[in-house]
Amino acid sequence: KALVTSEMVRRTARSLGVPLKGMALMFIMQWAAGVLLIGIVHKYSVDERKIELGIMKALGAKDRNIRSLLTMEVAILSGTACLAGIASGLLLINTFSRYLAVTLNIPLVMPGRAAVAGLAATAFVVSLFSALVPALFSALRTSKIEPFYLIKGEDRGKGQG
C-alpha cells in the first residue's frame, strides 16, 4: 500500500485548480451564449406570429393571457427537450461506462441513483430557467404592444406614438 502525504494531495489540488477554473469559465461563457441565443430565437419566433397575437388581443385577450401563452409554450418545449437530453445522456453514460469497464478492464465507480437523480433534477431546473428567462423578456415586450400595431407588424407599445 502506498501512503499519500498531505503535501502530495495539496500539490495535486493546486495543479488541478487552474484548469478547473478555466473549464468553469468556458462553461459559463457557453451557458451565457446559449441563453442569449435562446432569447434571439424566441424573439424571432414571436415576431413571426405578431399578426396572430394581434388578432387574439383584438378579440379580447389580455396582456397576461399573451404572456402566459408564450411562456407556457417555451416551458413545454424546453422541458420536453431537457427531459429528452437527460434521458439520452443517462443512456449514453450507462452504455459507455459498461463498455469502458469491460474494454479497459478497470473498475469504474458510478455515482448512486440518488446522486444521479439529484444531478438530473438540477440540470432540468437550470435548463428550464435558462430558457424561460430570455423568453419572458420577449413575451413581456410583445404583450404590451397594441393589437393594431401587432397586426400591422410594428413594435409600438402602449403609450408610444
Side-chain angles (χ1 to χ4, degrees):
K1 260 187 170 179
L3 292 175
V4 179
T5 65
S6 60
E7 180 61 30
M8 182 185 288
V9 171
R10 267 187 250 127
R11 277 188 288 165
T12 304
R14 257 193 317 251
S15 66
L16 291 176
V18 173
L20 286 177
K21 288 178 185 174
M23 286 172 41
L25 180 63
M26 287 184 352
F27 169 76
I28 290 170
M29 289 171 41
Q30 287 178 341
W31 177 75
V35 169
L36 181 66
L37 186 62
I38 289 170
I40 291 169
V41 167
H42 188 263
K43 180 196 176 303
Y44 284 117
S45 171
V46 169
D47 285 349
E48 290 293 320
R49 297 174 48 208
K50 279 186 177 177
I51 294 173
E52 171 191 333
L53 297 173
I55 292 171
M56 288 174 63
K57 285 186 78 164
L59 291 174
K62 305 268 189 252
D63 288 353
R64 64 180 161 81
N65 298 119
I66 301 296
R67 276 193 307 270
S68 63
L69 171 75
L70 295 173
T71 306
M72 287 305 295
E73 286 176 357
V74 170
I76 291 169
L77 286 172
S78 62
T80 304
C82 185
L83 289 175
I86 289 171
S88 61
L90 290 173
L91 181 66
L92 284 172
I93 288 171
N94 192 27
T95 302
F96 282 109
S97 66
R98 289 181 186 161
Y99 174 76
L100 286 174
V102 170
T103 304
L104 299 176
N105 197 21
I106 59 170
L108 188 59
V109 179
M110 295 299 289
R113 290 179 190 237
V116 170
L119 288 171
T122 302
F124 181 79
V125 169
V126 169
S127 297
L128 197 61
F129 178 77
S130 298
L132 283 174
V133 168
L136 190 59
F137 286 115
S138 179
L140 285 171
R141 182 184 60 85
T142 303
S143 68
K144 292 180 181 179
I145 300 174
E146 293 293 329
F148 172 77
Y149 295 116
L150 281 171
I151 294 170
K152 196 173 173 185
E154 296 181 10
D155 282 343
R156 296 184 189 185
K158 288 184 179 175
Q160 295 178 346

